[in-house]
DNA sequence: TGATAATCGAGACGGTACGTCCAGTCTTCTC
DNA sequence: GAGAAGACTGGACGTACCGTCTCGATTATCA
């Protein structure tokens, strides 16, 4: 899936026929992004995408096998506001993760993000063959962002983390995603406990 | 949705007309269960359920508003093998959770469970109004099973748990669900770390 | 094909389900007639018929297998101006057939009839399974009209016809249809010869 | 359409660029003939022709305006077995026409010819602008074949024919074509009557 | 006991979207 | 320039389900 293009351009020297229109590709992806934000994955239709993009339906089917495929590429290409970056680094892991959580749940409450996450999970659930792709597009970035911050912390303060940074990122990411999926608000107690998980409180007061 | 039947039978004093057929209700639910296991939520259709059940489509629409509603009741009524119970209690929390994880991922690898979980999450994702219902049908039972075991442990060995039983159950449950959703296999290292999370290893060797 | 309805109504006692909508049937047929006259069989589409009729496409496909089937029933039901009746009977066969020819070719030149005939022949040619139906709807009526007039003549003046009335009707009908199909105008000489075929001129002057 | 090639070569003074490929032209025509016999005019597509011929679709469109045009040229070039020649001349007109009819209807029953005739009539009916071309390719040859035989007869036995040879050819041809179009078998009685039409039986026994 | 009323099966209805096919046109590189 | 390749817009195809709507038949309560 990831290695369709040859590293050596000499191997694919002269594709014949009219080349694929990059303009059409972009029109499809931006249209999909637009409609995704408006109506979610469930109300997304291939016909709708084609119409919004001003493109023939066949052009969509020529390059993508399903709307899930379109959505995946839409995200991978960054046409949808990927819900999150990892936490900032101010030196205080606990505060950083706290701010990150508040930012995410804030975005969710504001609207689009929740629908987006739900849409992506729907895409994931409905197209098992694209599970890996959506995982790569949605979930891994979040967990990777977390992991980077955790690794930083581990380097800075060896022994400060209660367990492996990767595992922590995996766990915290899963927890956050599921709560977003269920539309849960950010509860103070839950957040405290999550913070304790990644950065045992010691004597701090939050 | 949840309060259709009145607690006081005197309030619903012998409705006139032909009463609802319990037989049809059951035929619908078992048909839905059958089709769910075969094709997943995405390939489930109201027409298919009605046909499989030998029931008129209108009968489905009369009593359920959508296929998600049917699925929810199917699970609630126990016609679908709910993926998991909580862990057993043998006195050794770590061993219990370990066995529980192996059982779950074993079932997933065997086949139907993965599709089922994915189907339910799809239902959840596609029908926000039923999110609570599916949460209640799928996620809470898992987390509740975990919580009960954790509470037991906390009572038995105060201070043994690194954090609140409810929070632990929430976290572990989310992590497990997401991994199932993604079709991940059970990795030894990940499991060890998860076990460390709920039952710090001490000197034990697994 | 011709005997779907039972002569004994007791044999088809209780069709279940919602009965077929006669209104929809008529809307489809009149819409088809309208579009047929406007654009001919080639530009006729099932989608167009459905839209013009204000009917779901599936309703067309439920009752007719193709646009040819719709057209056949449209004619059979008399929603299209059947190109011709047989010749009148004024007592003078030659004059009657002459008038008949002029009427037909007049209609053709005026416009719609030619397109109609061509359309029907196209339908016939494109759908061999409906050949019989279109034959029954278009060709046989013409030949039957001719035959009736010829039979009348044969009864009135035994020996006046040069050959069997049925055969004469077949031959003349075929000739006329093919000329219409080709868009030929009515040539005087050809007509004279055709008239001679059915009613040898004797001493008459036309 | 009929005068693409100039009679005077001086008028077309050495066109520049690559000359038209005769090989491609032939590949298209033979491919069209092949597909025509297989599936009839209705299933014939320009894309199919191009693919079967190993030629770019554009090459077809460059030189022919429609699939009907291709078919016409296919016939004109003799790549399709033109259904019939005129009747042989053995001196006995009645026997000759009889043999001719039996040959034609025999070919029809054997298979391809009927489809072919139907296909051509469909082409004719669906593309009014090519009516003349198909008339020239299919109908006129038949009628011309008949006419020649009739003319011969008229020269040999003046007064033997009941009417003008051209008219007879027109009438008989139309009748035969329509019967083929309808898939009718060759009926003895009809044939006898047709023979009577062109060669009054006198005392003969067939 | 018969009228009333709601459910049941069946299945047709207006719709929306599907995924495919083909028409004709356009764009690129090669001969 | 012709030609092969093949992507492009456009539009109809025939199918699958949606959720709604009659039907006749059934099964209860109520008068």
């Amino acid at each position: 899936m990831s290695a369709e293009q040859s590293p050596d351009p000499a191997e694919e020297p002269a594709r014949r026929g009219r080349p694929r229109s990059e303009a059409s590709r972009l029109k499809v992806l931006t249209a999909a992004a637009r409609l995704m934000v408006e109506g979610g994955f469930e109300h997304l239709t291939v016909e709708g995408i084609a119409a919004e993009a001003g493109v023939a339906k066949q052009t969509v089917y020529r390059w993508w096998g399903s709307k899930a495929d379109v959505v995946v590429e839409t995200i991978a290409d960054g046409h949808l506001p990927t819900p999150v970056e990892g936490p900032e680094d101010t030196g205080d892991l606990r505060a950083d993760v706290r701010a990150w959580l508040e930012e995410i749940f804030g975005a969710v409450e504001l609207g689009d993000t929740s629908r987006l996450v739900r849409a992506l999970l729907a895409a994931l659930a409905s197209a098992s063959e694209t599970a890996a792709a959506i995982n790569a597009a949605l979930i891994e970035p979040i967990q990777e962002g977390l992991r980077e911050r955790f690794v930083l912390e581990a380097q800075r303060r060896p022994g400060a983390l209660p367990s492996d940074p990767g595992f922590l990122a995996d766990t915290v990411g899963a927890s956050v995603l599921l709560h977003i999926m269920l539309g849960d608000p950010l509860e103070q107690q839950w957040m405290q406990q999550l913070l304790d998980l990644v950065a045992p409180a010691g004597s701090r007061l939050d």
Side-chain angles (χ1 to χ4, degrees), chain A residues 53-88:
Chain A
V55 142
K57 197 165 41 151
Q58 185 58 47
T59 297
V60 178
Y61 280 109
R62 193 175 353 256
W63 301 109
W64 296 276
S66 64
K67 63 175 178 174
D69 287 357
V70 176
V71 170
V72 167
E73 186 165 338
T74 299
I75 300 165
D77 252 41
H79 297 278
L80 274 175
T82 309
V84 281
E85 309 289 319
E88 294 293 308

Side-chain angles (χ1 to χ4, degrees), chain A residues 97-197:
Chain A
V97 174
R98 180 196 194 87
W100 178 78
L101 284 172
E102 284 171 341
E103 180 199 334
I104 289 184
F105 278 84
V108 167
E109 276 175 18
L110 273 169
D112 293 346
T113 305
S114 173
R115 180 157 43 210
L116 194 53
V117 169
R118 198 131 54 203
L120 290 174
L121 291 174
L124 182 149
S126 73
S128 49
E129 69 279 7
T130 54
I134 292 194
N135 183 30
L138 170 69
I139 301 176
E140 280 185 355
I142 292 181
Q143 294 181 337
E144 182 57 19
L146 279 168
R147 204 186 63 79
E148 282 173 13
R149 183 64 187 81
F150 291 159
V151 164
L152 202 64
E153 189 73 12
Q155 288 169 343
R156 198 140 46 197
R157 298 194 246 289
L161 285 184
S163 62
D164 175 62
F167 173 74
L168 266 188
D170 178 291
T171 306
V172 171
S175 206
V176 167
L177 277 170
L178 199 65
H179 278 269
I180 292 175
M181 217 163 116
L182 292 172
D184 293 338
L186 177 58
E187 289 182 12
Q188 284 301 315
Q189 192 193 353
W190 175 76
M191 183 172 67
Q192 295 293 349
Q193 291 169 323
L194 202 62
L195 293 176
D196 289 344
L197 193 66

